[in-house]
């Protein structure tokens, strides 16, 4: 679903119309005007209303939605949390650039931290847009099958935004409809368990309503699917199992959900690991869910179709800002000759997409850059065209492997991990490793590289092998922080002073492992009268 420029604009126009109030004395809808009362009588408008929810998922900066003063909210990306706050990455760029990322890395986080406040603002904007669809579409006169699919997409996206919130902030206000301004002071925070229960209910509704991936026409490729809903449900349960498990989940549930995805026949591993994050890997057989982007000449605004994600992580010597630098710890995690290392890491002197990269250590923290986001310079620096992969089929296999290991199915777990390792060792080099070329050259991987795990592996040794595989398979894909927290290994990766600060912000709800939380936006905490998270 590479949303067209005109479709993005139309989606914005439809939702802008919905944000306008109607005088109560009107007993007729204005002719030719799109309102909540008639929006879902037209299939084009109904689809655009859902597209407008997807649009929020693509935002990484911009005006604070609905603010009459046009307040600008700065950049936020998942790698700022999932990578930079973990042992996989340092902030990067020059030491003085974007110091708010250092606040996140060191747990010196004020309630005004920009990436945190932007994430909060954007998430609740997406939730409000989803509620517009969920609460109004049933009264529409569009085709019933389309109606149910669109409602399923809205449920999926509302859960997507709430999942982003609960991982970082804990329990948050739960809105099934947009509150009136007079109700703002009556908003309450749900518990973490209640928030997850809300997410699960939405994902279950989405899975029941959404089609499988192959049921969409090519023009709609990239929309939420039954597989995506089940994948996020498995991920949400897996995260609860290692943190606040107030809903009493079991590993069997993760096993069953991932089995459903695998047996659906909708997905398989892309044969070449080096192609996953290239154009040919977008919405591929491995893609379970990804955020869609397309390049244009436009900068940030309501008609933006691209992203600044790439410019923030690309080399400052080319067209980027040089953030999110992989650590030596991540580099050392790769086994000898693993082709995934070169597909993940750029080091000084490497040729990337045909261009030799020089890494200046005065503007780089580790000597490495993230190759998975390397692209040729886009038309506009705010319009990077690369989709952001959120769930890959390899993750489904490794989630099931972990669930199998936790439910005494060790041999099955080993076989699942070996599928991922077998694909990795047959990968080529990433494209463009020769100056002026964009070809995929052979990796010439020596025999014996990435040997299969032993069939008899079990217990903690098997779990360690699965966690290792997750780290190298998903390096720089923003999953590391969550894997560390849910497995109880996060605090041990932090320097003593940072660990002490992180521990001062741990949720007070009973948790399997220490679960630190970010501060709630001060403005919203005060306006909504929400209790702040511990230690802020």
């Amino acid at each position: 679903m590479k949303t067209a420029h005109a479709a993005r604009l139309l989606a914005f126009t439809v939702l802008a119309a919905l944000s306008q109030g109607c005088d109560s004395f009107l007993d007729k809808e204005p002719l030719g005007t799109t309102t909540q009362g008639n929006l879902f009588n037209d299939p084009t408008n109904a689809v655009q209303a859902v597209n407008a929810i997807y649009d929020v998922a693509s935002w990484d900066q911009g005006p604070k939605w609905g603010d009459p003063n046009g307040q600008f909210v700065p950049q936020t990306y998942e790698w700022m949390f999932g990578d930079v706050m973990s042992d996989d990455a340092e902030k990067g760029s020059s030491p003085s650039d974007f110091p708010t990322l250092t606040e996140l890395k060191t747990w010196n986080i004020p309630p005004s931290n920009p990436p945190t406040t932007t994430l909060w603002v954007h998430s609740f904007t997406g939730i409000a847009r989803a509620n517009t669809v969920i609460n109004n579409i049933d009264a529409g006169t569009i085709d019933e099958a389309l109606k149910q699919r669109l409602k399923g997409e809205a449920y999926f996206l509302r859960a997507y935004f709430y999942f982003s919130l609960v991982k970082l902030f804990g329990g948050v206000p739960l809105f099934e409809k947009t509150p009136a301004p007079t109700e703002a002071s009556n908003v309450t925070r749900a518990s973490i368990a209640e928030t997850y229960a809300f997410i699960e209910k939405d994902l279950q509704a989405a899975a029941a309503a959404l089609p499988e991936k192959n049921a969409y026409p090519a023009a709609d490729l990239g929309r939420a699917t039954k597989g995506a809903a089940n994948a996020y449900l498995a991920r949400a349960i897996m995260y609860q199992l290692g943190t606040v498990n107030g809903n009493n989940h079991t590993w069997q549930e993760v096993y069953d959900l991932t089995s459903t995805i695998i047996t659906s026949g909708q997905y398989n591993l892309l044969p070449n690991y080096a192609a996953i994050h290239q154009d040919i890997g977008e919405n591929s057989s491995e893609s379970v869910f990804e955020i869609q982007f397309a390049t244009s000449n436009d900068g940030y605004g309501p008609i933006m179709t691209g992203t600044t994600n790439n410019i923030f992580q690309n080399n400052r010597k080319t067209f980027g800002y040089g953030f999110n630098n992989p650590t030596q710890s991540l580099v050392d995690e790769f086994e000898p000759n693993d082709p995934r290392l070169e597909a993940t890491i750029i080091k000084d002197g490497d040729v990337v997409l045909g261009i030799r990269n020089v890494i200046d250590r005065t503007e780089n923290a580790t000597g490495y850059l993230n190759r998975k986001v390397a692209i040729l310079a886009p038309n506009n620096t705010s319009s990077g065209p690369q989709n952001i992969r959120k769930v890959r089929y390899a993750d489904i296999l490794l989630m099931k492997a972990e669930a199998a290991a936790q439910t005494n199915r060790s041999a099955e777990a080993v076989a699942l991990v070996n599928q991922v390792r077998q694909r990795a060792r047959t990968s080529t080099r990433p494209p463009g490793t020769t100056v002026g070329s964009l070809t995929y050259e052979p990796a010439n991987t020596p025999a014996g590289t990435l040997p299969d795990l032993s069939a008899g592996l079990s217990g903690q040794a098997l779990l360690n092998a699965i966690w290792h595989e997750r780290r190298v398979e998903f390096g720089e894909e923003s999953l590391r922080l969550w894997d560390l927290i849910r497995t109880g290994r996060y605090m041990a990766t932090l320097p003593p002073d940072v660990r002490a600060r992180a521990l001062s912000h741990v949720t007070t709800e009973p948790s399997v492992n220490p679960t630190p939380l970010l501060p709630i936006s001060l403005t919203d905490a005060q306006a909504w009268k929400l209790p702040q998270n511990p230690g802020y």
Side-chain angles (χ1 to χ4, degrees), residues 384-402:
Q386 184 191 49
N387 290 358
I388 297 176
R389 282 61 165 171
K390 291 294 186 178
V391 183
R392 297 199 275 114
Y393 184 60
D395 197 5
I396 306 303
L397 295 176
L398 293 180
M399 282 197 287
K400 183 175 180 180
E402 193 166 346

Side-chain angles (χ1 to χ4, degrees), residues 331-350:
V331 171
D332 292 344
E333 185 79 15
F334 288 85
E335 295 165 56
N337 302 310
D338 186 341
R340 291 175 294 190
L341 175 60
E342 190 178 22
T344 303
I345 303 294
I346 299 170
K347 64 183 186 300
D348 185 41
D350 279 353

Side-chain angles (χ1 to χ4, degrees), residues 123-257:
S123 296
F124 278 109
T125 301
I127 289 163
R129 289 188 174 191
N131 282 336
T132 294
V133 175
I134 292 167
N135 292 321
N136 293 283
I137 196 168
D138 284 343
T141 59
I142 61 172
D143 174 75
E144 188 63 27
L146 177 61
K147 182 186 296 184
Q148 291 308 309
R149 192 204 87 194
L150 294 176
K151 192 173 183 181
E153 291 180 71
Y155 275 128
F156 172 84
L157 290 165
R158 187 168 72 177
Y160 171 88
F161 291 116
Y162 268 120
F163 188 42
S164 295
L165 289 168
V166 72
K167 289 187 299 179
L168 290 168
F169 300 103
V172 294
L174 302 177
F175 298 116
E176 292 192 278
K177 64 181 183 66
T178 301
T182 55
E183 298 173 319
S185 61
N186 298 323
V187 170
T188 58
R189 283 189 73 176
S191 69
I192 292 175
E194 289 167 341
T195 303
Y196 270 116
F198 189 91
I199 292 166
E200 292 167 28
K201 184 178 70 172
D202 274 2
L203 290 172
Q204 289 162 353
L210 290 172
E212 294 283 13
K213 184 177 181 179
N214 66 1
Y216 278 111
D220 284 324
L221 199 61
R223 291 187 180 276
T225 62
K226 189 182 298 294
N230 282 326
Y232 269 92
L233 185 54
R235 185 178 277 183
I237 291 172
M238 188 170 73
Y239 194 63
Q240 289 173 80
L241 286 165
T243 56
V244 176
N245 191 20
N247 294 310
N248 299 313
H249 287 297
T250 66
W251 278 103
Q252 184 64 43
E253 294 172 87
V254 179
Y255 181 89
D256 292 342
L257 285 163

Side-chain angles (χ1 to χ4, degrees), residues 6-295:
R8 264 304 161 89
L9 180 56
L10 181 54
F12 168 78
T13 304
V14 167
L15 265 292
L18 294 183
S19 69
Q20 305 300 315
C22 286
D23 292 335
S24 60
F25 62 81
L26 290 177
D27 58 5
K28 288 186 177 180
E29 292 178 350
L31 294 178
T33 299
T34 300
T35 69
Q36 289 189 10
N38 64 28
L39 175 64
F40 299 104
N41 295 339
D42 178 83
T44 299
N45 283 346
V47 169
Q48 293 302 331
V50 172
N51 285 357
I53 317 172
Y54 286 102
D55 189 41
V56 180
S58 75
W59 290 357
D60 45 40
Q61 58 176 308
K64 184 174 181 179
W65 194 261
D67 184 345
N69 299 316
Q71 177 186 349
F72 186 88
V73 290
Q75 291 81 8
T76 191
Y77 310 94
E78 193 168 7
W79 55 261
M80 293 179 171
F81 309 101
D83 292 332
V84 171
M85 292 184 72
S86 80
D87 56 354
D88 269 7
E90 297 290 345
K91 172 185 78 72
S93 192
S94 59
S96 61
D97 198 3
F98 218 138
T100 51
L101 295 188
T102 302
E103 294 174 354
L104 293 173
K105 182 75 175 178
T106 60
W107 282 96
N108 274 311
I109 311 168
S112 59
N113 177 267
T116 301
T117 57
T118 299
L119 176 70
W120 178 275
V121 166
H122 284 175
S123 296
F124 278 109
T125 301
I127 289 163
R129 289 188 174 191
N131 282 336
T132 294
V133 175
I134 292 167
N135 292 321
N136 293 283
I137 196 168
D138 284 343
T141 59
I142 61 172
D143 174 75
E144 188 63 27
L146 177 61
K147 182 186 296 184
Q148 291 308 309
R149 192 204 87 194
L150 294 176
K151 192 173 183 181
E153 291 180 71
Y155 275 128
F156 172 84
L157 290 165
R158 187 168 72 177
Y160 171 88
F161 291 116
Y162 268 120
F163 188 42
S164 295
L165 289 168
V166 72
K167 289 187 299 179
L168 290 168
F169 300 103
V172 294
L174 302 177
F175 298 116
E176 292 192 278
K177 64 181 183 66
T178 301
T182 55
E183 298 173 319
S185 61
N186 298 323
V187 170
T188 58
R189 283 189 73 176
S191 69
I192 292 175
E194 289 167 341
T195 303
Y196 270 116
F198 189 91
I199 292 166
E200 292 167 28
K201 184 178 70 172
D202 274 2
L203 290 172
Q204 289 162 353
L210 290 172
E212 294 283 13
K213 184 177 181 179
N214 66 1
Y216 278 111
D220 284 324
L221 199 61
R223 291 187 180 276
T225 62
K226 189 182 298 294
N230 282 326
Y232 269 92
L233 185 54
R235 185 178 277 183
I237 291 172
M238 188 170 73
Y239 194 63
Q240 289 173 80
L241 286 165
T243 56
V244 176
N245 191 20
N247 294 310
N248 299 313
H249 287 297
T250 66
W251 278 103
Q252 184 64 43
E253 294 172 87
V254 179
Y255 181 89
D256 292 342
L257 285 163
T258 50
S259 296
T260 296
I261 298 167
I262 291 169
T263 58
S264 72
Q266 299 294 307
Y267 309 98
N268 53 67
L269 295 174
L270 198 65
N272 187 5
Y273 184 89
I276 291 172
H277 289 89
Q278 306 305 314
D279 285 349
I280 60 172
E282 292 191 343
N283 300 313
S284 70
S285 63
E286 184 151 351
S287 173
V288 181
F289 186 66
E290 56 191 74
I291 305 298
Q292 309 290 311
F293 295 100
T295 194

